[in-house]
Amino acid sequence: MSYEPIFALFCQRVKESIQSGTFAKLTLAKTIGDTEIKNIYFRLVLNEDNTFSISLTTRYKTEEIESIHTLDEALMVLGTYIKNPFLTALLFTTDNDLTFKVNKKNAGSIIEQPPTFKNASPVMIEMIEKGIV
């Protein structure tokens, strides 16, 4: 069984957390072996025209690179890093924490746990206040 359908479900949950105003944080972690890339952070950014974008900060051993994307583009970029080299994606919301994992047999799973964060991200809160979501 391939992990792609489960990752698509995970991406849907990311979108739902933004639409419902519960998004706190998203990160890719747990690489396969010792890699140059260490993690990727997914952050909401409020634009001047009261829309939002996604900032992807890719942390390497020696530098960080930030890129700005639409929500769909950012999720597509994250998908290219699953199993290359990341095995885990962590979504933190005010409702729950979701951990997407890929195992050695290429199967994906989502584990739901109680929330780590009591509050949504500051940008998420600002988006709610401005009626963007």
Side-chain angles (χ1 to χ4, degrees), residues 35-46:
T35 61
E36 279 297 311
I37 189 169
K38 290 299 168 194
N39 42 23
I40 298 176
Y41 299 104
F42 177 109
R43 212 169 34 91
L44 295 172
V45 177
L46 194 56

Side-chain angles (χ1 to χ4, degrees), residues 24-58:
K25 182 178 169 182
L26 177 87
T27 186
L28 294 186
K30 287 202 178 179
T31 60
I32 301 169
D34 184 25
T35 61
E36 279 297 311
I37 189 169
K38 290 299 168 194
N39 42 23
I40 298 176
Y41 299 104
F42 177 109
R43 212 169 34 91
L44 295 172
V45 177
L46 194 56
N47 300 321
E48 289 181 14
D49 63 355
N50 282 339
T51 60
F52 73 94
S53 296
I54 305 300
S55 164
L56 292 180
T57 303
T58 307

Side-chain angles (χ1 to χ4, degrees), residues 80-97:
T80 65
Y81 287 102
I82 298 298
K83 288 204 63 166
N84 184 27
F86 295 101
L87 296 174
T88 305
L90 302 155
L91 170 63
F92 299 94
T93 75
T94 57
D95 290 337
N96 52 42
D97 293 351

Side-chain angles (χ1 to χ4, degrees), residues 117-132:
F117 294 94
K118 289 183 176 24
N119 298 313
S121 75
V123 174
M124 180 89 265
I125 292 168
E126 189 176 349
M127 289 168 56
I128 293 167
E129 289 170 353
K130 291 185 174 189
I132 295 170

